[in-house]
C-alpha cells in the first residue's frame, strides 16, 4: 500500500482551478423548470392577471362566443362620429372576443384539460339550444342560470370557483383601464351613453342569436361543446 502525499492549499502559491469540460459550456438551463416567469402587463394591454402565472397551469374559462353574431355592434360603435369626438371614448378599446361568460377564469393543470372538456360535454349533453338577446330578459336569465349550474359542476370538480350567486349576464364590446365613473363627470358619462345608444338605434337595438355551442378555452386551446338539438 502506498501513501499519497496531498499538499495543502497553504503550500501552493497559485492553486490550479478545476474547469468544466468544454462541451458543458454550451448547455442552457431547462426553461420549463428553472426560468422564473415575469409577467409583462404591456403585452396584455396593461391588464392584470386574476391569479399569478404558474408553469403547468392553464387559464381556463367557459363562455358563449358571440363574436360572429355581434361584431357589427362593435363596428357601429367604432365608426360613430359622435363617440369618436369624445375624450372619454378615446380611452376605450374594443374587446378581442365578444362573449358571455358562464364561469370565472381559473387555473387548470395541463393533464386535466381533456377530462374537464369531457366533463362539460357530459354535463351539457341534454341542455337544449337557446336564443340570446343583447338585453337579457328575465326568462333568458333564468335559462342561463340553469346552464351555469351545469357548468359549475365541472368547474368545481377541477378545483375552480363557482360562478357568481346573482350573476348579471352581459356581453362587453369595449373596455378601458381605471374607474371611468370616478374619472369623469356625470354629464360626460350621460353624453357617452346617449351617443352609444344613438349609434345602435334602430338597426342594432335588439339583436338575437341562437346558442347551440358552448366554448371552453384552456390557455391557447379552444374547445366547442355542442348543446342538444
Amino acid at each position: 500500500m502506498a501513501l499519497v502525499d496531498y499538499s495543502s492549499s497553504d503550500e501552493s502559491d497559485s492553486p490550479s482551478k478545476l474547469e468544466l469540460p468544454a462541451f458543458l459550456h454550451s448547455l442552457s438551463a431547462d426553461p420549463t423548470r428553472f426560468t422564473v416567469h415575469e409577467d409583462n402587463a404591456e403585452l396584455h394591454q396593461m391588464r392584470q392577471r386574476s391569479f399569478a402565472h404558474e408553469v403547468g397551469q392553464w387559464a381556463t374559462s367557459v363562455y358563449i362566443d358571440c363574436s360572429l353574431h355581434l361584431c357589427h355592434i362593435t363596428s357601429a360603435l367604432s365608426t360613430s362620429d359622435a363617440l369618436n369626438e369624445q375624450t372619454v371614448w378615446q380611452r376605450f378599446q374594443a374587446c378581442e372576443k365578444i362573449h358571455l361568460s358562464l364561469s370565472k377564469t381559473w387555473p387548470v393543470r395541463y393533464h386535466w384539460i381533456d377530462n374537464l372538456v369531457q366533463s362539460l360535454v357530459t354535463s351539457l349533453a341534454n341542455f337544449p339550444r337557446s336564443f340570446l338577446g343583447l338585453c337579457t330578459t328575465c326568462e333568458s336569465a333564468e335559462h342561463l342560470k340553469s346552464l351555469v349550474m351545469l357548468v359549475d359542476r365541472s368547474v368545481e370538480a377541477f378545483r375552480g370557483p363557482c360562478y357568481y350567486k346573482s350573476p348579471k349576464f352581459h356581453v362587453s364590446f369595449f373596455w378601458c383601464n381605471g374607474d371611468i365613473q370616478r374619472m369623469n363627470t356625470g354629464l360626460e358619462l350621460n353624453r357617452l351613453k346617449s351617443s352609444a345608444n344613438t349609434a345602435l338605434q334602430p338597426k342594432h337595438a335588439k339583436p338575437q342569436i341562437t346558442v347551440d355551442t358552448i366554448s371552453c378555452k384552456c390557455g391557447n386551446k379552444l374547445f366547442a361543446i355542442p348543446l342538444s338539438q
Side-chain angles (χ1 to χ4, degrees):
M1 179 182 292
L3 294 175
V4 179
D5 184 17
Y6 289 97
S7 61
S8 68
S9 59
D10 293 334
E11 296 173 344
S12 177
D13 294 331
S14 56
S16 59
K17 296 181 180 180
L18 295 177
E19 295 186 1
L20 291 173
F23 75 91
L24 291 177
H25 293 173
S26 61
L27 295 181
S28 58
D30 184 341
T32 302
R33 292 186 294 168
F34 301 112
T35 298
V36 177
H37 178 83
E38 295 183 3
D39 194 27
N40 185 354
E42 293 182 357
L43 299 177
H44 309 286
Q45 299 174 306
M46 302 309 294
R47 289 175 290 187
Q48 300 296 320
R49 293 180 182 273
S50 55
F51 50 86
H53 173 83
E54 184 178 338
V55 174
Q57 300 272 35
W58 291 48
T60 301
S61 60
V62 183
Y63 58 90
I64 297 172
D65 188 354
C66 305
S67 299
L68 181 63
H69 304 282
L70 300 181
C71 60
H72 61 283
I73 292 181
T74 300
S75 178
L77 294 172
S78 298
T79 56
S80 169
D81 292 334
L83 282 172
N84 287 323
E85 67 182 15
Q86 297 182 45
T87 304
V88 182
W89 178 249
Q90 294 172 9
R91 295 177 56 88
F92 283 84
Q93 301 182 56
C95 294
E96 296 176 359
K97 178 75 71 173
I98 303 173
H99 67 279
L100 188 147
S101 296
L102 297 176
S103 78
K104 297 180 180 179
T105 300
W106 85 102
V108 169
R109 296 190 179 279
Y110 178 79
H111 57 276
W112 291 355
I113 293 177
D114 289 342
N115 289 334
L116 167 62
V117 173
Q118 186 55 52
S119 175
L120 288 168
V121 169
T122 301
S123 296
L124 302 175
N126 297 318
F127 196 89
R129 64 179 182 175
S130 312
F131 295 93
L132 176 67
L134 180 61
C135 298
T136 306
T137 63
C138 293
E139 182 180 357
S140 60
E142 289 302 316
H143 205 58
L144 288 170
K145 286 180 181 178
S146 299
L147 184 56
V148 166
M149 288 177 62
L150 295 176
V151 172
D152 274 346
R153 294 179 187 175
S154 297
V155 172
E156 281 190 292
F158 290 85
R159 300 184 182 179
C162 287
Y163 203 46
Y164 304 100
K165 291 184 178 180
S166 301
K168 296 180 179 179
F169 296 107
H170 65 280
V171 175
S172 297
F173 297 93
F174 288 81
W175 70 277
C176 74
N177 281 315
D179 188 341
I180 203 72
Q181 293 185 333
R182 296 184 62 180
M183 294 186 294
N184 297 274
T185 65
L187 182 62
E188 290 173 318
L189 294 177
N190 287 334
R191 184 186 175 200
L192 181 70
K193 294 176 183 178
S194 177
S195 297
N197 288 332
T198 300
L200 297 179
Q201 295 289 345
K203 182 179 179 181
H204 309 290
K206 295 182 179 180
Q208 190 177 67
I209 63 175
T210 301
V211 180
D212 52 14
T213 302
I214 301 301
S215 298
C216 177
K217 186 176 182 181
C218 301
N220 58 4
K221 294 179 178 291
L222 183 62
F223 303 90
I225 302 167
L227 300 178
S228 64
Q229 299 297 320

